[in-house]
């Protein structure tokens, strides 16, 4: 009985402890590094450096972490394909109605895109914005500003993505302007 109790204590504590904390830090051991970059491997010169892209999935939720530097009103954009629907990759993305998506019309992707999330400081020093866009066979299905967080120290905010992405679902994100790496 003692061994079973010890196993359950270890199992449940490791399951609870393995889920990342959303605080803009990404030091949680449960993240897996997807890619890491050094200066010169980014899209906009030295102003927007991407450092590391990490992820974790518990089978229900997907956690994605990106370290990087953005200036002015530049964006970190994450393009996602969950449906596996083929055909968007050979077409242009068309323009959305908000943020970076207003200027993305005519862009061609070499992979299929269902959704896109754009994170930016919106020309402010005290907020971090999230814009979202959903694509389909006819182009943009929905595109909107989801909201922002005023914390630069990793305090998470949860907002609804259901209306933009279709169905139900929330996104929780955090911005840590003090993260050293």
């Amino acid at each position: 009985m003692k061994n079973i109790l010890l196993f359950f204590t270890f199992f449940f504590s490791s399951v609870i402890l393995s889920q990342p904390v959303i605080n803009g830090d990404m030091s949680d051991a449960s993240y897996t590094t997807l890619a890491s970059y050094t200066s010169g491997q980014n899209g906009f010169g030295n102003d927007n450096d991407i450092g590391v892209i990490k992820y974790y999935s518990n089978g229900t939720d997907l956690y994605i972490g990106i370290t990087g530097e953005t200036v002015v009103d530049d964006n970190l954009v994450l393009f996602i394909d969950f449906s596996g629907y083929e055909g968007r990759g050979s077409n242009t993305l068309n323009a959305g109605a908000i943020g970076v998506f207003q200027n993305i019309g005519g862009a061609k992707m070499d992979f299929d895109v269902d959704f896109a999330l754009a994170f930016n400081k919106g020309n402010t020093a005290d907020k971090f914005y999230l814009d979202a866009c959903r694509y389909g066979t006819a182009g943009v299905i929905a595109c909107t500003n989801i909201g922002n967080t005023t914390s630069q120290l990793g305090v998470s905010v949860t907002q609804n993505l259901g209306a933009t992405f279709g169905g139900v679902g929330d996104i929780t994100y955090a911005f840590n302007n003090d993260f050293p790496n």
Side-chain angles (χ1 to χ4, degrees):
M1 180 67 172
K2 187 190 282 185
N3 289 340
I4 292 173
L5 183 59
L6 184 61
F7 169 76
F8 281 121
T9 302
F10 172 76
F11 176 76
F12 287 119
S13 64
S14 67
V15 168
I16 291 170
L17 294 175
S18 68
Q19 186 168 330
V21 175
I22 300 172
N23 60 3
D25 182 304
M26 294 192 330
S27 64
D28 305 67
S30 49
Y31 277 106
T32 300
T33 299
L34 183 63
S36 60
Y37 304 91
T38 58
S39 183
Q41 294 181 328
N42 50 57
F44 295 96
N46 293 326
D47 288 340
N48 296 342
D49 292 325
I50 296 175
V52 177
I53 301 173
K54 294 183 175 186
Y55 79 97
Y56 169 77
S57 177
N58 62 9
T60 302
D61 299 312
L62 178 63
Y63 298 80
I64 299 173
I66 302 170
T67 61
E69 181 179 358
T70 63
V71 296
V72 192
D73 195 21
D74 295 328
N75 293 267
L76 290 174
V77 184
L78 181 63
F79 293 100
I80 305 167
D81 174 32
F82 287 125
S83 72
Y85 172 79
E86 296 180 12
R88 294 296 308 149
S90 60
N91 298 317
T92 59
L93 289 178
N94 298 325
I98 197 86
V100 67
F101 301 114
Q102 291 177 349
N103 301 317
I104 209 166
K108 291 192 178 203
M109 308 300 278
D110 61 354
F111 55 92
D112 297 319
V113 176
D114 292 327
F115 308 102
L117 299 169
F119 301 91
N120 67 73
K121 292 185 350 188
N123 250 342
T124 68
D126 61 347
K127 294 181 181 175
F128 194 65
Y129 293 89
L130 170 61
D131 298 324
C133 204
R134 179 178 177 203
Y135 297 99
T137 56
V140 174
I141 295 173
C143 190
T144 191
N145 174 267
I146 298 299
N148 68 71
T149 177
T150 57
S151 171
Q152 295 188 37
L153 300 176
V155 176
S156 65
V157 61
T158 299
Q159 294 166 327
N160 185 278
L161 275 178
T164 307
F165 280 11
V168 296
D170 292 333
I171 184 169
T172 302
Y173 63 98
F175 173 59
N176 189 338
N177 202 22
D178 252 354
F179 187 54
N181 297 317

